[in-house]
Amino acid sequence: MQDDKMETALNSVKNVLFCNTLEKSQEAYTNWSDGYDSELGSLHYQLPQHAAKMFAKYVKNSKTVLDAGAGTGKVAQELREKHGYEGILDLLDANLDMLALADKKGLQIRNIIRHWIDKTGELPVKNENYDVIMCVGSFIPNHIPASALKGMLNSLKRDGWMIFTTRTSTTDSYKTELEGVIQDLIDRRAIEMVEKEEHLHFPNASKEIFSAVFVVRKL
């Protein structure tokens, strides 16, 4: 029975990751939304927990957080319930069905924003608006373009933190492009790389897939 649950979950992941278009990916998320939390649980998906731990390690006295690519609010839930974050928390995602589920979790969210992050990374908020941007599970193909990282930083205050994840295996050219964007930002002294930590993406899956949590500070 457990193997069947894992297989179902992995098929759902493939449906959103390997779509031919962004639109197809969002259709897949809508279809998956009701089973999203439970299916990822069967795979022991822990990236929201790992990212939230990095938040607790580095972020002090934060008053404003944006969770970009928030989905069903798993990161927000970790920040509120496990790490006691009491400041302002906004959620942003392209999928209304996922955001609706996040809204039902009673996480004291200020704003829920439906927005599709394109290659420019421009967000529908003021520049230098947040102390922290969290982005877990969305820097992958057919989700947030790698180039968007630069524009998203505009919404972060100077000396603010961005904590984000990406797969370090199975994403081929996307991984290479994102690494190039990160290195360019470091070279231009736009950001400081503070920590990078690798984890198994789905510890319960038979195939080992790795992801990394990045912690950067805006200079």
Side-chain angles (χ1 to χ4, degrees):
M1 180 65 73
Q2 184 63 26
D3 288 345
D4 290 343
K5 288 182 179 179
M6 290 172 57
E7 187 64 29
T8 298
L10 287 171
N11 285 334
S12 296
V13 171
K14 292 175 183 177
N15 285 340
V16 298
L17 185 58
F18 298 113
C19 291
N20 293 325
T21 66
L22 294 169
E23 290 80 6
K24 289 291 185 182
S25 177
Q26 289 307 308
E27 288 178 15
Y29 270 116
T30 295
N31 293 332
W32 189 21
S33 57
D34 286 340
Y36 181 84
D37 285 353
S38 62
E39 288 186 18
L40 287 185
S42 72
L43 294 169
H44 202 58
Y45 176 70
Q46 296 286 306
L47 284 184
Q49 289 87 334
H50 295 313
K53 286 178 182 177
M54 288 294 194
F55 177 97
K57 180 178 179 179
Y58 288 105
V59 178
K60 310 300 178 186
N61 302 317
S62 169
K63 297 180 180 178
T64 52
V65 175
L66 173 68
D67 183 6
T72 61
K74 294 175 76 65
V75 172
Q77 194 166 10
E78 287 293 313
L79 295 182
R80 290 293 198 215
E81 297 179 359
K82 299 291 180 62
H83 297 285
Y85 175 66
E86 297 180 348
I88 290 169
L89 186 54
D90 292 345
L91 305 188
L92 181 150
D93 198 271
N95 192 280
L96 283 173
D97 294 271
M98 303 286 275
L99 288 171
L101 291 171
D103 189 36
K104 293 177 181 178
K105 292 182 177 179
L107 299 173
Q108 297 181 322
I109 304 304
R110 180 182 67 172
N111 294 316
I112 293 180
I113 306 164
R114 197 268 184 174
H115 177 72
W116 202 312
I117 300 176
D118 64 16
K119 62 183 180 181
T120 70
E122 294 179 5
L123 304 179
V125 298
K126 295 179 181 178
N127 284 349
E128 299 188 2
N129 197 51
Y130 295 100
D131 297 310
V132 183
I133 296 177
M134 306 289 290
C135 188
V136 175
S138 294
F139 277 108
I140 52 176
N142 294 320
H143 289 62
I144 297 178
S147 62
L149 179 60
K150 294 180 180 181
M152 291 172 70
L153 289 168
N154 291 334
S155 300
L156 191 63
K157 296 176 182 177
R158 187 174 297 277
D159 292 323
W161 300 89
M162 186 164 179
I163 300 172
F164 62 97
T165 71
T166 190
R167 287 195 185 197
T168 53
S169 57
T170 75
T171 54
D172 302 324
S173 61
Y174 183 94
K175 172 180 178 288
T176 302
E177 183 182 359
L178 183 61
E179 288 174 345
V181 173
I182 293 169
Q183 190 58 54
D184 179 62
L185 289 166
I186 293 171
D187 292 344
R188 293 193 292 107
R189 293 195 53 76
I191 62 170
E192 172 193 11
M193 177 64 69
V194 177
E195 187 167 353
K196 174 185 175 183
E197 183 179 73
E198 280 205 296
H199 299 275
L200 279 171
H201 194 80
F202 297 130
N204 285 8
S206 57
K207 181 180 179 180
E208 289 190 344
I209 298 171
F210 289 91
S211 283
V213 181
F214 294 84
V215 182
V216 304
R217 185 173 66 91
K218 181 178 177 180
L219 301 177

